[in-house]
Amino acid sequence: QVQLVESGGGSVPAGESLRLSCVASGYIVNTRCMAWFRQAPQKEREGVASISSLGTEFYADSVKGRFTISKDSAKNTLYLQLNSLKPDDTANYYCAAGPSHSCRAPWSSRLNYAFWGQGTQVTVSS
């Protein structure tokens, strides 16, 4: 059973940065499609970014140029660097893992990911 544990969320003013981490059990960061999703109150969970087993990155249009997804296979850890944060980025951020084809399937569909973390809250004030 894959376990994913997120950390790094917090409350920051607009324009600031945060780095989210997701530690995975087992050697999956380099063998699966890994992704970050977010869910704001009363909104659907949406894909933020994903990274394939080969390192190809995908981003939602709303975060392109501001967020960067990366991974450290030696630490079994997925990261999301959040820069130039906006109040609209306020949400609970979730780490997800799926089979390698999830990154093509399309990557932003939550249905393609079987394993999820518990989430970490990001709050951006104006």
Side-chain angles (χ1 to χ4, degrees):
Q1 181 74 3
V2 173
Q3 292 187 333
L4 304 170
V5 180
E6 304 99 330
S7 63
S11 296
V12 296
E16 294 293 311
S17 299
L18 285 171
R19 189 175 80 156
L20 307 183
S21 299
C22 170
V23 179
S25 63
Y27 183 69
I28 68 165
V29 169
N30 259 7
T31 61
R32 289 180 178 266
C33 177
M34 304 293 297
W36 288 96
F37 283 72
R38 66 185 181 185
Q39 188 167 16
Q42 300 179 340
K43 290 190 176 181
E44 294 289 320
R45 191 171 296 189
E46 62 174 358
V48 175
S50 74
I51 186 164
S52 74
S53 57
L54 296 179
T56 303
E57 301 167 24
F58 305 86
Y59 295 95
D61 288 343
S62 59
V63 306
K64 278 181 183 176
R66 299 189 299 123
F67 292 6
T68 303
I69 191 170
S70 63
K71 59 184 178 178
D72 184 334
S73 58
K75 296 181 179 179
N76 292 326
T77 302
L78 179 73
Y79 300 101
L80 186 67
Q81 179 68 39
L82 295 72
N83 295 332
S84 303
L85 281 161
K86 304 175 182 179
D88 284 349
D89 296 319
T90 295
N92 206 3
Y93 283 70
Y94 297 90
C95 173
S100 58
H101 64 76
S102 295
C103 279
R104 306 190 298 270
W107 70 267
S108 57
S109 172
R110 59 180 297 184
L111 299 177
N112 294 325
Y113 298 87
F115 303 102
W116 294 83
Q118 82 290 349
T120 185
Q121 178 68 35
V122 172
T123 302
V124 185
S125 57
S126 57

